[in-house]
Amino acid sequence: MTINDTQNEIIEEFADLTDWMDRYAYIIELGNQLPPLDADQKVPANLIEGCQSRVWIASDRLPDGKIRFKADSDALIVKGIVSLLMRVLSDRTPNEILNADLYFIDKIGLSDHLSPTRSNGLVAMVKQIKNYAIAYKALDSRS
C-alpha cells in the first residue's frame, strides 16, 4: 500500500463521521490503539519541540532500508493525531517520506479544527519525521 493509498483509506474512514465530536472520539480511539512507547525511548532526544503536550517520536531502521516510527503522547487527541502520522509514514523509505504530500490532514478537516498550538505541534511532528528521513538518507549516501 502506498502513502497515498493509506491517506485515501483514512479520508474514507473520516467521511462517514460528519460530526466533529464523532471525529474527535475516533481520533482518541486511534490514539488508544497506538502501542505504548518504551520508557527508554521517552528521552529528551525523542521529545518533539513546539508541541503544547509532550510527544515523543522514535525511529528504527529496518533491514530493507525503511524507517519504522514509534510514538506516544500524554494528550489523548495528540496521541490520535500522531497515530495517524505513524500509519501513513511508518515503514516507508526515506524518499517516500520526503516526497509525501500529506493531503489527508486537510481532506479530513483536521487542520481547520485544531487550535493554533496543536497545529504548530502537528507541523513540528511532521518536520521531525522528515528530519529522521533526511538523516537516514544522508547515512545511505555515505555507504
Side-chain angles (χ1 to χ4, degrees):
M1 209 182 215
T2 68
I3 284 178
N4 287 350
D5 291 337
T6 303
Q7 291 188 94
N8 292 336
E9 187 177 84
I10 291 169
I11 292 165
E12 285 179 32
E13 290 168 14
F14 276 83
D16 296 334
L17 306 169
T18 55
D19 179 75
W20 259 95
M21 292 313 291
D22 292 340
R23 287 181 178 215
Y24 282 131
Y26 184 58
I27 290 169
I28 290 169
E29 181 183 322
L30 292 173
N32 287 332
Q33 294 172 12
L34 191 66
L37 196 60
D38 295 334
D40 65 336
Q41 291 182 313
K42 287 187 175 181
V43 295
N46 291 335
L47 193 61
I48 305 301
E49 299 281 331
C51 287
Q52 177 181 351
S53 49
R54 292 164 39 113
V55 179
W56 299 267
I57 298 178
S59 70
D60 292 309
R61 191 71 183 268
L62 301 176
D64 63 1
K66 294 179 179 176
I67 305 168
R68 173 158 299 151
F69 294 103
K70 296 179 185 174
D72 204 351
S73 176
D74 60 1
L76 292 174
I77 290 178
V78 176
K79 190 171 182 174
I81 293 168
V82 79
S83 76
L84 287 169
L85 290 175
M86 296 301 98
R87 185 170 157 191
V88 172
L89 296 173
S90 190
D91 297 329
R92 308 289 183 181
T93 66
N95 280 338
E96 286 175 308
I97 294 165
L98 293 171
N99 294 323
D101 169 21
L102 300 179
Y103 58 83
F104 82 96
I105 295 166
D106 288 330
K107 293 277 187 187
I108 65 173
L110 192 56
S111 50
D112 295 333
H113 288 85
L114 292 178
S115 67
T117 53
R118 287 240 164 93
S119 291
N120 290 341
L122 176 58
V123 169
M125 287 184 260
V126 171
K127 181 178 177 186
Q128 183 58 42
I129 291 168
K130 290 198 175 205
N131 283 343
Y132 279 123
I134 290 167
Y136 285 119
K137 188 173 178 174
L139 286 174
D140 289 345
S141 67
R142 290 184 184 172
S143 302

